[in-house]
């Protein structure tokens, strides 16, 4: 008995609305962020992640308002990501009520930002988001690289090496998204999840591809993830958080009930 | 109406803490402040905290809050949260060693690397997420601490930390958790309750703990 594996619904936010796309495209509206977050809190979610998916300057103030409103009435951990470029952005989000801030693209351009941010606010506040894609041919040993800008730009950086580097710079947690799987509902990329989870001492959140409850279990038991993140299966009412937890518990996975 | 001061020394999720208290004490005044005079005049005081021990101690010293806090503790209900617990101990191993406020005798230590559970499975550090908190009692005949009222023994609370408290006096421990090792996660004395986990982020049980604090008479 120990630490529960976390289930984290992810809310992609664009211009103050929760949306969900497939492979980062074809976006559908899924509601008002505050009411969606409140619903997940009541349903027993262990944490909520907000990603500001456009992160344009127009969107920034909207996002701070959303975070403030959610943090005023939802008392579970709140992670916010998207468009963080400086420690001042991190501070502003934490002051608005975020508990953790997720840094993605900016970490690639300026890895020292991760160190600077963790020095200032502590590792437990800094999540590094990694958008990863399988780049090996089917007959090769699997190999993954990270992509930035919402998955549009390749970087040539190896995912596992990058994960280790981010942990060394002080990241408190990694949010690992498989871009090949995002929105596809065929399950996590368990290969990269396991490779990253084994390589680092810090917790890893598996993301991208959940379509069935078994996928959540596989992320933990086969991928070694400490937490599993999903969006569309929860947003569109296919499964509730309670159903997901009951399913995981039934397979011997420790969850908070 | 009572006044509850949340100490603002620039090192914490103050908004989350103050909003959570406001939600359980809608008729009270919740004040986020660094002013020692306002803090000293409050009926109850909450000291949150996040980040590194050295930064927290430097911020408390920089705001001239160490002596006022030491004077307040014991005189009326005071609650430390996360780093707000750790800085109450004598010394922390974090940042190559830093002296803390020495309100509670003991050390703050880093989880061993590698940290493993009893089955030999590796445990991640930081200890991040929801763990069970056991209500410790010095004697089996002793009832559990009044701050646990309405909260089940073994209820899960949200943690996010890499260092843990190792107090000298086990009698002050009122809550413990097992993560690789068993360690103190809640400590108490007259008018003092401090916890390693985040009640403001621990859903209904966390809010219940804050509700208990708002009504607590300070007796252990």
């Amino acid at each position: 008995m120990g630490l529960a594996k976390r289930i984290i619904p992810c809310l992609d936010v664009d211009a103050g609305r929760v949306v969900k796309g497939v492979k980062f495209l074809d976006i559908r509206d899924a509601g008002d962020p505050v009411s969606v977050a409140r619903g997940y809190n009541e349903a027993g979610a262990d944490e909520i992640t907000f990603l500001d998916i456009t992160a344009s300057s127009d969107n920034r103030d909207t996002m701070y308002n959303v975070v403030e409103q959610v943090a005023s009435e939802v008392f579970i951990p709140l992670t916010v990501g998207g468009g963080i470029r400086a420690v001042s952005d991190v501070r502003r989000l934490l002051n608005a009520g975020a508990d953790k801030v997720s840094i993605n693209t900016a970490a690639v351009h300026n890895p020292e930002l991760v160190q600077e941010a963790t020095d200032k606010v502590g590792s437990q506040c800094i999540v590094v988001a990694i958008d990863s894609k399988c780049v090996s041919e089917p007959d090769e040993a699997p190999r993954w690289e990270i992509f930035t800008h919402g998955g549009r730009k390749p970087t040539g950086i190896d995912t596992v090496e990058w994960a280790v580097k981010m942990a060394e710079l002080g990241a408190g947690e990694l949010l690992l998204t498989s871009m090949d799987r995002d929105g596809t509902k065929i399950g996590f990329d368990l290969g990269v999840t396991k490779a990253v989870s084994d390589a680092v001492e810090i917790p890893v959140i598996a993301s991208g591809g959940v379509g069935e409850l078994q996928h959540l279990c596989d992320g933990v038991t086969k991928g070694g993830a400490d937490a599993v993140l999903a969006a569309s299966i929860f947003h569109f009412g296919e499964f509730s958080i309670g159903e997901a937890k009951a399913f995981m518990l039934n397979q011997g996975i420790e969850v908070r009930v | 109406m009572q006044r509850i001061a949340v100490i603002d020394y620039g090192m914490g999720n103050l908004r989350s803490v103050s909003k959570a208290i406001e939600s359980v004490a809608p008729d009270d005044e919740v004040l986020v402040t660094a002013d020692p005079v306002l803090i000293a005049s409050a009926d109850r005081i909450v000291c949150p905290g996040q980040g590194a021990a050295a930064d927290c101690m430097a911020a408390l010293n920089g705001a001239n809050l160490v002596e006022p806090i030491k004077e307040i503790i014991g005189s009326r209900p005071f609650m430390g949260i996360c780093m707000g617990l750790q800085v109450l101990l004598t010394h922390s191993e974090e940042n190559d060693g830093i002296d803390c406020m020495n309100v509670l005798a003991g050390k703050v230590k880093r989880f061993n690397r590698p940290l493993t559970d009893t089955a030999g499975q590796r445990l991640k550090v930081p200890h991040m997420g929801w763990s069970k908190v056991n209500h410790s009692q010095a004697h089996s005949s002793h009832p559990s601490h009044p701050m646990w009222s309405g909260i089940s023994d073994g209820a899960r609370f949200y943690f996010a930390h890499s260092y843990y408290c190792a107090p000298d006096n086990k009698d002050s421990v009122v809550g413990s958790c097992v993560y690789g090792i068993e360690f103190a996660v809640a400590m108490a004395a007259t008018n003092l309750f401090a916890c390693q986990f985040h009640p403001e982020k621990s859903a209904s049980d966390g809010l219940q703990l804050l509700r208990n604090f708002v009504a607590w008479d300070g007796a252990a």
Side-chain angles (χ1 to χ4, degrees):
Chain A
M1 298 304 274
L3 187 63
K5 300 296 179 184
R6 286 169 282 157
I7 297 186
I8 307 174
C10 178
L11 286 63
D12 289 346
V13 178
D14 180 21
R17 296 290 292 177
V18 178
V19 297
K20 184 58 204 169
V22 175
K23 287 192 175 172
F24 296 18
L25 299 166
D26 185 23
I27 288 173
R28 293 165 71 184
D29 189 287
D32 162 57
V34 180
S35 55
V36 174
R38 197 190 296 126
Y40 284 134
N41 178 37
E42 285 161 9
D46 298 309
E47 192 168 320
I48 290 173
T49 292
F50 277 103
L51 295 179
D52 181 358
I53 60 165
T54 48
S56 64
S57 50
D58 302 351
N59 240 4
R60 296 270 80 189
D61 288 330
T62 310
M63 196 62 192
Y64 290 120
N65 287 336
V66 166
V67 173
E68 282 189 6
Q69 286 177 57
V70 172
S72 297
E73 50 179 302
V74 176
F75 301 110
I76 56 175
L78 192 60
T79 302
V80 182
I84 287 106
R85 293 180 187 87
V87 173
S88 57
D89 298 327
V90 172
R91 279 212 189 275
R92 199 170 160 201
L93 280 168
L94 295 176
N95 287 338
D99 299 285
K100 301 186 245 187
V101 171
S102 163
I103 303 176
N104 184 347
T105 302
V108 179
H109 295 311
N110 177 20
E112 287 69 34
L113 172 64
V114 173
Q115 186 159 28
E116 200 186 331
T118 55
D119 283 348
K120 288 280 190 303
V121 299
S123 289
Q124 81 291 336
C125 289
I126 301 298
V127 180
V128 171
I130 301 175
D131 287 341
S132 170
K133 207 174 203 171
C134 186
V135 292
S136 49
E137 297 299 324
D139 55 348
E140 287 180 312
R143 197 161 47 80
W144 303 272
E145 282 182 11
I146 59 167
F147 284 65
T148 60
H149 294 84
R152 293 185 293 273
K153 283 197 186 172
T155 63
I157 300 170
D158 179 81
T159 300
V160 178
E161 286 173 18
W162 178 249
V164 169
K165 181 175 177 182
M166 291 299 100
E168 284 169 359
L169 287 177
E173 190 163 51
L174 299 175
L175 167 52
L176 177 65
T177 300
S178 164
M179 293 183 44
D180 316 288
R181 303 299 178 95
D182 188 71
T184 62
K185 299 183 163 264
I186 59 171
F188 295 122
D189 181 336
L190 298 173
V192 73
T193 307
K194 182 87 174 99
V196 168
S197 189
D198 283 350
V200 297
E201 189 194 36
I202 59 177
V204 173
I205 305 165
S207 157
V210 173
E212 301 166 17
L213 298 181
Q214 186 60 46
H215 294 154
L216 300 173
C217 296
D218 292 345
V220 171
T221 57
K222 296 180 183 166
D226 302 282
V228 287
L229 180 142
S232 52
I233 62 161
F234 298 131
H235 294 338
F236 301 114
E238 290 163 56
F239 299 103
S240 69
I241 301 284
E243 284 168 336
K245 288 193 169 181
F247 191 89
M248 291 171 80
L249 197 61
N250 195 39
Q251 294 198 13
I253 296 171
E254 192 166 349
V255 292
R256 178 178 73 106
V257 288
Chain B
M1 189 188 81
Q2 54 179 349
R3 175 184 283 177
I4 303 164
V6 177
I7 302 177
D8 175 8
Y9 56 105
M11 295 300 295
N13 53 344
L14 299 169
R15 187 183 173 85
S16 301
V17 173
S18 63
K19 289 292 168 188
I21 298 168
E22 283 170 17
S23 81
V24 298
D27 299 328
D28 293 336
E29 181 190 0
V30 180
L31 196 66
V32 177
T33 179
D35 182 343
V37 177
L38 285 175
I39 293 168
S41 71
D43 302 294
R44 292 171 195 276
I45 296 103
V46 177
C47 183
Q50 283 188 333
D55 290 345
C56 281
M57 282 310 299
L60 286 166
N61 279 312
N64 292 317
L65 284 168
V66 172
E67 288 312 314
I69 288 173
K70 284 174 140 178
E71 281 169 25
I72 289 163
I73 288 180
S75 68
R76 76 208 82 148
F78 183 101
M79 183 172 189
I81 298 173
C82 193
M83 192 51 75
L85 160 65
Q86 295 192 359
V87 292
L88 295 176
L89 275 78
T90 312
H91 184 85
S92 172
E93 283 182 1
E94 196 171 5
N95 309 114
D96 301 320
I98 177 94
D99 285 336
C100 299
M101 289 199 272
N102 196 30
V103 171
L104 297 164
K107 285 197 169 66
V108 180
K109 299 180 172 180
R110 196 187 190 282
F111 285 115
N112 284 334
R113 303 171 197 245
L115 188 68
T116 53
D117 67 11
T118 47
Q121 288 289 311
R122 186 180 61 145
L123 298 172
K124 301 293 185 77
V125 178
H127 171 217
M128 175 104 63
W130 299 78
S131 281
K132 291 185 172 185
V133 171
N134 302 310
H135 303 173
S136 317
Q137 296 146 30
H139 310 287
S140 56
S141 59
H142 196 273
S144 86
H145 195 278
M147 283 284 287
W148 296 128
S149 173
I151 298 168
S152 305
D153 192 4
R156 289 183 188 273
F157 286 84
Y158 181 76
F159 290 84
H161 65 121
S162 301
Y163 290 79
Y164 68 94
C165 293
D168 294 344
N169 179 5
K170 301 291 180 279
D171 290 348
S172 62
V173 178
V174 295
S176 65
C177 172
V178 177
Y179 191 65
I181 54 164
E182 182 172 14
F183 62 100
V185 299
M187 297 174 63
T190 301
N191 277 319
L192 172 63
F193 183 93
C195 54
Q196 179 63 62
F197 53 82
H198 288 274
E200 77 282 7
K201 289 289 153 184
S202 295
S204 56
D205 285 321
L207 293 176
Q208 180 62 34
L209 190 75
L210 293 173
R211 197 175 287 118
N212 291 343
F213 176 70
V214 166
W216 184 35
D217 65 5

